């Protein structure tokens, strides 16, 4: 087993264990957004509000609102994705990816959302479930997501999306 494969498996295992612990510790209602409380310091409301606006922009498929929240040099990464393109750099490439999501899904909705602000850096962690409808065939597509949203000077400059790569949407009509 090569080192890259071992690191990927280890990361996936740690993420699953962390999500399991988080889910057990923070049971949430079936919908809505929960802002998790930290033990050592009160979370800043500004980064959390920005993350909430990001979710809303994707749900309403509003690319203009999305662009108001992100930096020009944003990086969007999909580390566990099985597709060829897993890193999008700059607003133009990220917009291409986001607009593709808007075309593929007629409904983009997030449920059971928990938002946490990191104690050590400018990162907001969003744990959520996707409740999507595929535009071409109206079939549901559901997956679990963890987003690491990094902010700098009030703008989102990095998003890392972790989801289950074995759940692939059937976009055929």
């Amino acid at each position: 087993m090569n080192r890259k494969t071992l690191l990927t498996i280890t990361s996936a295992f740690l993420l699953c264990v962390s999500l399991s612990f988080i889910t057990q510790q923070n049971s949430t209602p079936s919908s809505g957004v929960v802002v998790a409380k930290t033990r050592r310091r009160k979370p800043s409301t500004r980064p959390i509000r920005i993350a909430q606006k990001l979710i809303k922009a994707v749900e309403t498929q509003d690319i203009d609102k999305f662009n108001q929240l992100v930096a020009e040099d944003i990086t969007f990464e999909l580390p566990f994705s099985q597709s060829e393109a897993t890193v999008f750099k700059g607003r133009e490439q990220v917009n291409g990816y986001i607009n593709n999501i808007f075309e593929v899904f007629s409904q983009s909705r997030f449920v059971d959302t928990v938002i946490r602000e990191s104690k050590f850096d400018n990162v907001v962690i969003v744990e959520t479930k996707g409740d999507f409808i595929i535009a071409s065939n109206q079939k549901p597509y559901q997956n679990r997501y963890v987003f690491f949203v990094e902010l700098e000077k009030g703008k989102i400059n990095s998003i890392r999306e972790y989801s289950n790569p074995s759940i692939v949407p059937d976009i055929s009509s």
Side-chain angles (χ1 to χ4, degrees):
M1 183 179 312
N2 67 31
R3 184 176 180 192
K4 185 176 180 183
T5 303
L6 183 60
L7 286 173
T8 302
I9 291 169
T10 304
S11 297
F13 174 76
L14 291 173
L15 182 64
C16 290
V17 169
S18 297
L19 288 176
S20 174
F21 177 76
I22 289 168
T23 302
Q24 290 173 358
Q25 296 296 315
N26 296 296
S27 297
T28 60
S30 62
S31 64
V33 175
V34 174
V35 177
K37 296 180 181 180
T38 59
R39 292 181 187 165
R40 296 188 183 170
R41 71 177 174 103
K42 189 175 180 179
S44 166
T45 57
R46 182 162 170 79
I48 290 172
R49 277 198 315 254
I50 291 171
Q52 289 170 327
K53 288 178 182 181
L54 176 70
I55 292 167
K56 185 73 169 173
V58 173
E59 287 182 328
T60 59
Q61 299 189 348
D62 189 337
I63 197 69
D64 293 329
K65 293 271 188 207
F66 180 87
N67 284 329
Q68 290 172 6
L69 300 169
V70 301
E72 188 68 39
D73 61 345
I74 184 172
T75 301
F76 196 112
E77 298 177 67
L78 303 141
F80 291 162
S81 176
Q82 301 298 315
S83 65
E84 288 182 27
T86 59
V87 178
F88 303 93
K89 293 187 177 194
R91 190 179 286 164
E92 186 176 333
Q93 282 187 8
V94 172
N95 277 347
Y97 174 71
I98 296 297
N99 279 322
N100 185 57
I101 291 171
F102 294 168
E103 290 174 18
V104 170
F105 299 106
S106 59
Q107 172 186 295
S108 304
R109 200 173 71 126
F110 296 103
V111 296
D112 296 337
T113 301
V114 177
I115 300 175
R116 303 176 191 292
E117 185 178 353
S118 169
K119 297 180 240 181
F120 306 108
D121 49 23
N122 296 321
V123 173
V124 176
I125 303 160
V126 179
E127 178 188 359
T128 190
K129 294 177 186 173
D131 182 22
F132 302 104
I133 301 293
I134 300 166
S136 62
N137 57 24
Q138 298 303 300
K139 291 181 182 176
Y141 170 67
Q142 297 174 332
N143 206 333
R144 294 183 68 108
Y145 297 91
V146 176
F147 296 96
F148 289 84
V149 181
E150 186 175 336
L151 295 110
E152 187 174 292
K153 298 178 183 172
K155 295 282 187 176
I156 298 168
N157 67 343
S158 173
I159 301 172
R160 283 186 317 280
E161 174 188 313
Y162 295 88
S163 62
N164 184 347
S166 65
I167 303 173
V168 180
D170 175 14
I171 58 174
S172 61
S173 19

